[in-house]
Amino acid sequence: MTEQEFWEYTSSGRLIEAGAPEHEIMHRMSQNALRRTMEINGSYHAPEELRRLMSELIGKKLDDSFGLFPPFYTDCGRNITIGKRTFINMGCSFQDWGGIEIGDDCLIGHNCTICTVNHSKDPERRGDMTCHGVKIGNKVWIGANVTVLPGVSIGDGAIVAAGAVVTKDVEPGATVGGVPAKLLRI
């Protein structure tokens, strides 16, 4: 299975059975992410060095305007896309098997978690997974300690208040907050 075929499979929402070839590929790819994130998080790096390390992690060159304050965690990294002038603050965790797309001019607060994987509800099949991507538009501000769940899209200019758990799409320009996140204002 090529890397492109693998991404098409994982982002399709089809079941990934525990122990299946796709699941084994995920485990192997995770080792690269662990190695790269340890390098990013293990010592101080100047901003240009962090951009280089993050570009290697995600497999795409990041714009010179990208900013990151480590530590940063991911279980894959290769399925993350980040726009220009976007800043990711300390302690963020991205689970990107289903794909995470972040637009331009975004602010991602401390300790945000972006999830793209769900496990089976059946306790006998708990290791089985499905993946659904997360899309974050342009000029989005996500506050500290936010969790974004699989399949969510956050529209351009939206604000997600600190501590929110985003379970549904957020309209462009909306401000949401709470658990689960609800519309606070447009």
Side-chain angles (χ1 to χ4, degrees):
M1 175 177 278
T2 67
E3 188 170 316
Q4 183 61 35
E5 290 169 332
F6 173 76
W7 293 127
E8 288 170 7
Y9 188 92
T10 59
S11 63
S12 70
R14 292 170 32 202
L15 184 69
I16 300 168
E17 293 185 32
E22 297 79 18
H23 193 239
E24 295 302 318
I25 291 169
M26 292 170 80
H27 281 283
R28 284 196 307 275
M29 291 178 79
S30 290
Q31 296 308 303
N32 181 58
L34 291 171
R35 184 174 43 260
R36 296 281 186 203
T37 56
M38 288 299 293
E39 187 175 358
I40 289 167
N41 300 333
S43 63
Y44 172 78
H45 301 283
E48 56 277 358
E49 179 68 3
L50 277 174
R51 278 190 294 279
R52 183 188 68 76
L53 292 168
M54 279 293 290
S55 293
E56 289 174 6
L57 173 67
I58 69 172
K60 303 169 195 81
K61 184 175 182 341
L62 287 163
D63 190 79
D64 288 343
S65 61
F66 169 75
L68 170 72
F69 283 177
F72 175 80
Y73 305 98
T74 183
D75 57 355
C76 177
R78 305 298 284 185
N79 211 5
I80 298 171
T81 302
I82 301 170
K84 297 176 182 175
R85 297 171 304 281
T86 287
F87 175 71
I88 299 172
N89 219 323
M90 295 178 199
C92 291
S93 297
F94 290 8
Q95 182 191 49
D96 60 291
W97 295 108
I100 296 172
E101 296 177 28
I102 302 172
D104 296 335
D105 302 299
C106 292
L107 299 173
I108 311 294
H110 291 84
N111 301 315
C112 286
T113 300
I114 301 176
C115 306
T116 66
V117 176
N118 273 323
H119 287 276
S120 174
K121 293 178 184 178
D122 179 353
E124 301 302 319
R125 303 292 309 177
R126 192 70 76 210
D128 294 352
M129 299 174 274
T130 55
C131 302
H132 301 281
V134 168
K135 293 184 180 181
I136 298 170
N138 298 315
K139 299 183 179 182
V140 172
W141 175 20
I142 298 178
N145 297 303
V146 167
T147 299
V148 180
L149 296 183
V152 167
S153 290
I154 300 174
D156 292 346
I159 298 172
V160 181
V165 176
V166 185
T167 62
K168 296 179 182 173
D169 290 353
V170 177
E171 295 296 319
T175 299
V176 299
V179 179
K182 293 185 172 130
L183 182 65
L184 300 176
R185 70 177 151 245
I186 294 186

